[in-house]
Amino acid sequence: MSYVAARDGRKNRSAATRAPAVPDRIDDLHGHSVGVLEVPHHMACGHASRRQFELDDPIQVRHAYEQVLCEAANCGEVEDLINPAMLRRVWRDLHLPSRVRSAWETRHPGLQRRTVNRAAAITEAAAGGGFARRRRAVA
């Protein structure tokens, strides 16, 4: 049986195995930062109301950006839908698959999440700089 290409030219249409679409520069992004963001049908199936997100609501922004970053077919879609300032603001709060997050953070190191140094936090808490466990008074 011969191979028949997909209509859009991609051999593998599955977002789960396709490489994430990551533009070369974050400054190339030119999505809106106010109003309503409507994602294409292939990113969120169903009625148009399920594909529209209020950009004034941080929860809806995170949900929309997660869908776009995971489901975008090419960099052009990402550039049209994502706003650079808003992406930087919500980046640490996005729940993304590790392959998507690592692809973006490899290409754009400024997006990397700040990690908490747990050893320093525990030492600070023990020194009285945070919550400490109370001991029971022995009667």
Side-chain angles (χ1 to χ4, degrees):
M1 180 173 198
S2 63
Y3 168 76
V4 177
R7 284 193 343 216
D8 58 3
R10 289 179 286 159
K11 290 181 182 179
N12 187 356
R13 299 185 68 174
S14 170
T17 57
R18 184 175 63 237
V22 183
D24 292 331
R25 296 175 358 117
I26 289 183
D27 295 332
D28 290 343
L29 305 176
H30 50 268
H32 297 290
S33 61
V34 294
V36 176
L37 172 66
E38 184 170 347
V39 299
H41 192 272
H42 71 88
M43 290 185 193
C45 296
H47 191 267
S49 63
R50 297 190 72 205
R51 296 183 282 126
Q52 295 175 349
F53 301 92
E54 289 287 335
L55 295 175
D56 297 336
D57 182 2
I59 294 171
Q60 288 189 29
V61 169
R62 287 194 307 262
H63 187 64
Y65 278 28
E66 289 166 1
Q67 282 189 324
V68 171
L69 296 176
C70 292
E71 301 290 333
N74 57 44
C75 292
E77 285 185 341
V78 175
E79 291 170 355
D80 291 341
L81 298 171
I82 302 288
N83 179 278
M86 202 170 270
L87 176 65
R88 288 182 182 104
R89 186 173 35 226
V90 300
W91 180 255
R92 286 181 264 164
D93 299 324
L94 296 177
H95 296 286
L96 298 170
S98 59
R99 65 181 181 76
V100 174
R101 184 171 295 280
S102 64
W104 274 84
E105 290 178 351
T106 299
R107 175 99 29 106
H108 308 292
L111 289 176
Q112 291 181 354
R113 286 199 265 190
R114 295 180 193 150
T115 57
V116 176
N117 185 345
R118 289 209 175 280
I122 292 170
T123 304
E124 182 181 327
F131 294 106
R133 185 177 288 181
R134 290 186 177 175
R135 296 180 186 234
R136 278 199 243 173
V138 179

PDB file of all heavy atoms in Angstrom, residues 15-36:
ATOM      1  N   ALA A  15      -0.316  15.305  17.581  1.00  0.00           N
ATOM      2  CA  ALA A  15       0.415  16.290  18.384  1.00  0.00           C
ATOM      3  C   ALA A  15       1.263  15.611  19.449  1.00  0.00           C
ATOM      4  O   ALA A  15       2.260  16.169  19.904  1.00  0.00           O
ATOM      5  CB  ALA A  15      -0.560  17.266  19.029  1.00  0.00           C
ATOM      6  N   ALA A  16       0.891  14.399  19.846  1.00  0.00           N
ATOM      7  CA  ALA A  16       1.622  13.703  20.903  1.00  0.00           C
ATOM      8  C   ALA A  16       3.021  13.285  20.449  1.00  0.00           C
ATOM      9  O   ALA A  16       3.935  13.202  21.266  1.00  0.00           O
ATOM     10  CB  ALA A  16       0.842  12.475  21.357  1.00  0.00           C
ATOM     11  N   THR A  17       3.202  13.047  19.166  1.00  0.00           N
ATOM     12  CA  THR A  17       4.504  12.602  18.678  1.00  0.00           C
ATOM     13  C   THR A  17       5.192  13.613  17.772  1.00  0.00           C
ATOM     14  O   THR A  17       6.357  13.453  17.458  1.00  0.00           O
ATOM     15  CB  THR A  17       4.356  11.270  17.908  1.00  0.00           C
ATOM     16  OG1 THR A  17       3.419  11.458  16.852  1.00  0.00           O
ATOM     17  CG2 THR A  17       3.889  10.166  18.823  1.00  0.00           C
ATOM     18  N   ARG A  18       4.472  14.644  17.375  1.00  0.00           N
ATOM     19  CA  ARG A  18       5.044  15.679  16.504  1.00  0.00           C
ATOM     20  C   ARG A  18       5.941  16.601  17.315  1.00  0.00           C
ATOM     21  O   ARG A  18       5.668  16.893  18.474  1.00  0.00           O
ATOM     22  CB  ARG A  18       3.895  16.474  15.876  1.00  0.00           C
ATOM     23  CG  ARG A  18       4.331  17.500  14.877  1.00  0.00           C
ATOM     24  CD  ARG A  18       3.148  18.174  14.204  1.00  0.00           C
ATOM     25  NE  ARG A  18       2.333  18.898  15.150  1.00  0.00           N
ATOM     26  CZ  ARG A  18       1.038  18.693  15.350  1.00  0.00           C
ATOM     27  NH1 ARG A  18       0.414  17.753  14.678  1.00  0.00           N
ATOM     28  NH2 ARG A  18       0.367  19.399  16.219  1.00  0.00           N
ATOM     29  N   ALA A  19       7.021  17.078  16.729  1.00  0.00           N
ATOM     30  CA  ALA A  19       7.912  18.023  17.406  1.00  0.00           C
ATOM     31  C   ALA A  19       7.164  19.333  17.638  1.00  0.00           C
ATOM     32  O   ALA A  19       6.418  19.789  16.771  1.00  0.00           O
ATOM     33  CB  ALA A  19       9.154  18.277  16.569  1.00  0.00           C
ATOM     34  N   PRO A  20       7.331  19.951  18.818  1.00  0.00           N
ATOM     35  CA  PRO A  20       6.631  21.212  19.091  1.00  0.00           C
ATOM     36  C   PRO A  20       7.088  22.324  18.149  1.00  0.00           C
ATOM     37  O   PRO A  20       8.248  22.373  17.739  1.00  0.00           O
ATOM     38  CB  PRO A  20       7.029  21.547  20.531  1.00  0.00           C
ATOM     39  CG  PRO A  20       7.701  20.346  21.071  1.00  0.00           C
ATOM     40  CD  PRO A  20       8.127  19.497  19.937  1.00  0.00           C
ATOM     41  N   ALA A  21       6.164  23.208  17.812  1.00  0.00           N
ATOM     42  CA  ALA A  21       6.481  24.358  16.959  1.00  0.00           C
ATOM     43  C   ALA A  21       7.021  25.476  17.841  1.00  0.00           C
ATOM     44  O   ALA A  21       6.295  26.014  18.671  1.00  0.00           O
ATOM     45  CB  ALA A  21       5.232  24.818  16.223  1.00  0.00           C
ATOM     46  N   VAL A  22       8.302  25.794  17.675  1.00  0.00           N
ATOM     47  CA  VAL A  22       8.953  26.819  18.491  1.00  0.00           C
ATOM     48  C   VAL A  22       9.597  27.838  17.555  1.00  0.00           C
ATOM     49  O   VAL A  22      10.541  27.512  16.840  1.00  0.00           O
ATOM     50  CB  VAL A  22      10.031  26.207  19.416  1.00  0.00           C
ATOM     51  CG1 VAL A  22      10.640  27.278  20.299  1.00  0.00           C
ATOM     52  CG2 VAL A  22       9.462  25.077  20.243  1.00  0.00           C
ATOM     53  N   PRO A  23       9.099  29.091  17.550  1.00  0.00           N
ATOM     54  CA  PRO A  23       9.708  30.118  16.692  1.00  0.00           C
ATOM     55  C   PRO A  23      11.132  30.428  17.136  1.00  0.00           C
ATOM     56  O   PRO A  23      11.511  30.184  18.284  1.00  0.00           O
ATOM     57  CB  PRO A  23       8.810  31.339  16.890  1.00  0.00           C
ATOM     58  CG  PRO A  23       7.592  30.852  17.582  1.00  0.00           C
ATOM     59  CD  PRO A  23       7.938  29.579  18.258  1.00  0.00           C
ATOM     60  N   ASP A  24      11.924  30.984  16.223  1.00  0.00           N
ATOM     61  CA  ASP A  24      13.312  31.309  16.528  1.00  0.00           C
ATOM     62  C   ASP A  24      13.443  32.423  17.559  1.00  0.00           C
ATOM     63  O   ASP A  24      14.362  32.420  18.367  1.00  0.00           O
ATOM     64  CB  ASP A  24      14.054  31.713  15.248  1.00  0.00           C
ATOM     65  CG  ASP A  24      14.225  30.542  14.308  1.00  0.00           C
ATOM     66  OD1 ASP A  24      14.308  29.397  14.810  1.00  0.00           O
ATOM     67  OD2 ASP A  24      14.271  30.764  13.087  1.00  0.00           O
ATOM     68  N   ARG A  25      12.541  33.387  17.514  1.00  0.00           N
ATOM     69  CA  ARG A  25      12.622  34.522  18.450  1.00  0.00           C
ATOM     70  C   ARG A  25      11.264  34.754  19.093  1.00  0.00           C
ATOM     71  O   ARG A  25      10.241  34.738  18.410  1.00  0.00           O
ATOM     72  CB  ARG A  25      13.048  35.791  17.709  1.00  0.00           C
ATOM     73  CG  ARG A  25      14.433  35.720  17.111  1.00  0.00           C
ATOM     74  CD  ARG A  25      14.814  36.937  16.264  1.00  0.00           C
ATOM     75  NE  ARG A  25      13.796  37.950  16.120  1.00  0.00           N
ATOM     76  CZ  ARG A  25      13.919  39.219  16.567  1.00  0.00           C
ATOM     77  NH1 ARG A  25      15.011  39.591  17.182  1.00  0.00           N
ATOM     78  NH2 ARG A  25      12.964  40.094  16.364  1.00  0.00           N
ATOM     79  N   ILE A  26      11.277  35.022  20.389  1.00  0.00           N
ATOM     80  CA  ILE A  26      10.029  35.328  21.090  1.00  0.00           C
ATOM     81  C   ILE A  26       9.465  36.657  20.593  1.00  0.00           C
ATOM     82  O   ILE A  26       8.258  36.850  20.552  1.00  0.00           O
ATOM     83  CB  ILE A  26      10.245  35.342  22.614  1.00  0.00           C
ATOM     84  CG1 ILE A  26      10.467  33.925  23.098  1.00  0.00           C
ATOM     85  CG2 ILE A  26       9.058  35.958  23.332  1.00  0.00           C
ATOM     86  CD1 ILE A  26      10.620  33.771  24.576  1.00  0.00           C
ATOM     87  N   ASP A  27      10.337  37.566  20.191  1.00  0.00           N
ATOM     88  CA  ASP A  27       9.874  38.869  19.708  1.00  0.00           C
ATOM     89  C   ASP A  27       9.121  38.767  18.384  1.00  0.00           C
ATOM     90  O   ASP A  27       8.479  39.734  17.965  1.00  0.00           O
ATOM     91  CB  ASP A  27      11.055  39.824  19.581  1.00  0.00           C
ATOM     92  CG  ASP A  27      11.675  40.134  20.941  1.00  0.00           C
ATOM     93  OD1 ASP A  27      10.939  40.076  21.945  1.00  0.00           O
ATOM     94  OD2 ASP A  27      12.885  40.417  20.994  1.00  0.00           O
ATOM     95  N   ASP A  28       9.179  37.612  17.716  1.00  0.00           N
ATOM     96  CA  ASP A  28       8.415  37.411  16.486  1.00  0.00           C
ATOM     97  C   ASP A  28       6.938  37.149  16.769  1.00  0.00           C
ATOM     98  O   ASP A  28       6.121  37.187  15.856  1.00  0.00           O
ATOM     99  CB  ASP A  28       8.983  36.237  15.682  1.00  0.00           C
ATOM    100  CG  ASP A  28      10.349  36.547  15.086  1.00  0.00           C
ATOM    101  OD1 ASP A  28      10.711  37.741  15.017  1.00  0.00           O
ATOM    102  OD2 ASP A  28      11.057  35.589  14.712  1.00  0.00           O
ATOM    103  N   LEU A  29       6.603  36.867  18.029  1.00  0.00           N
ATOM    104  CA  LEU A  29       5.214  36.609  18.398  1.00  0.00           C
ATOM    105  C   LEU A  29       4.441  37.923  18.347  1.00  0.00           C
ATOM    106  O   LEU A  29       4.924  38.956  18.792  1.00  0.00           O
ATOM    107  CB  LEU A  29       5.129  36.013  19.805  1.00  0.00           C
ATOM    108  CG  LEU A  29       5.954  34.744  20.050  1.00  0.00           C
ATOM    109  CD1 LEU A  29       5.848  34.327  21.498  1.00  0.00           C
ATOM    110  CD2 LEU A  29       5.506  33.622  19.136  1.00  0.00           C
ATOM    111  N   HIS A  30       3.234  37.895  17.800  1.00  0.00           N
ATOM    112  CA  HIS A  30       2.463  39.125  17.689  1.00  0.00           C
ATOM    113  C   HIS A  30       0.975  38.907  17.962  1.00  0.00           C
ATOM    114  O   HIS A  30       0.113  39.522  17.357  1.00  0.00           O
ATOM    115  CB  HIS A  30       2.679  39.777  16.314  1.00  0.00           C
ATOM    116  CG  HIS A  30       2.496  38.823  15.165  1.00  0.00           C
ATOM    117  ND1 HIS A  30       3.548  38.131  14.633  1.00  0.00           N
ATOM    118  CD2 HIS A  30       1.405  38.450  14.464  1.00  0.00           C
ATOM    119  CE1 HIS A  30       3.103  37.380  13.641  1.00  0.00           C
ATOM    120  NE2 HIS A  30       1.807  37.548  13.525  1.00  0.00           N
ATOM    121  N   GLY A  31       0.676  38.019  18.923  1.00  0.00           N
ATOM    122  CA  GLY A  31      -0.707  37.789  19.311  1.00  0.00           C
ATOM    123  C   GLY A  31      -1.238  38.940  20.142  1.00  0.00           C
ATOM    124  O   GLY A  31      -0.491  39.758  20.667  1.00  0.00           O
ATOM    125  N   HIS A  32      -2.545  38.997  20.280  1.00  0.00           N
ATOM    126  CA  HIS A  32      -3.193  40.060  21.042  1.00  0.00           C
ATOM    127  C   HIS A  32      -3.027  39.837  22.537  1.00  0.00           C
ATOM    128  O   HIS A  32      -2.852  38.707  22.997  1.00  0.00           O
ATOM    129  CB  HIS A  32      -4.682  40.125  20.714  1.00  0.00           C
ATOM    130  CG  HIS A  32      -4.944  40.455  19.280  1.00  0.00           C
ATOM    131  ND1 HIS A  32      -4.694  41.689  18.750  1.00  0.00           N
ATOM    132  CD2 HIS A  32      -5.415  39.699  18.262  1.00  0.00           C
ATOM    133  CE1 HIS A  32      -5.010  41.695  17.470  1.00  0.00           C
ATOM    134  NE2 HIS A  32      -5.451  40.479  17.140  1.00  0.00           N
ATOM    135  N   SER A  33      -3.105  40.925  23.300  1.00  0.00           N
ATOM    136  CA  SER A  33      -3.023  40.811  24.755  1.00  0.00           C
ATOM    137  C   SER A  33      -4.332  41.214  25.425  1.00  0.00           C
ATOM    138  O   SER A  33      -4.469  41.101  26.638  1.00  0.00           O
ATOM    139  CB  SER A  33      -1.876  41.669  25.295  1.00  0.00           C
ATOM    140  OG  SER A  33      -2.103  43.022  24.972  1.00  0.00           O
ATOM    141  N   VAL A  34      -5.285  41.691  24.662  1.00  0.00           N
ATOM    142  CA  VAL A  34      -6.604  42.058  25.195  1.00  0.00           C
ATOM    143  C   VAL A  34      -7.676  41.490  24.280  1.00  0.00           C
ATOM    144  O   VAL A  34      -7.421  41.171  23.121  1.00  0.00           O
ATOM    145  CB  VAL A  34      -6.776  43.597  25.306  1.00  0.00           C
ATOM    146  CG1 VAL A  34      -5.831  44.172  26.332  1.00  0.00           C
ATOM    147  CG2 VAL A  34      -6.592  44.259  23.965  1.00  0.00           C
ATOM    148  N   GLY A  35      -8.870  41.359  24.826  1.00  0.00           N
ATOM    149  CA  GLY A  35      -9.992  40.868  24.035  1.00  0.00           C
ATOM    150  C   GLY A  35     -10.167  39.374  24.153  1.00  0.00           C
ATOM    151  O   GLY A  35      -9.957  38.777  25.216  1.00  0.00           O
ATOM    152  N   VAL A  36     -10.530  38.754  23.052  1.00  0.00           N
ATOM    153  CA  VAL A  36     -10.827  37.319  23.007  1.00  0.00           C
ATOM    154  C   VAL A  36      -9.865  36.650  22.038  1.00  0.00           C
ATOM    155  O   VAL A  36      -9.648  37.125  20.930  1.00  0.00           O
ATOM    156  CB  VAL A  36     -12.281  37.072  22.564  1.00  0.00           C
ATOM    157  CG1 VAL A  36     -12.569  35.586  22.416  1.00  0.00           C
ATOM    158  CG2 VAL A  36     -13.248  37.707  23.545  1.00  0.00           C
TER     159      VAL A  36
END
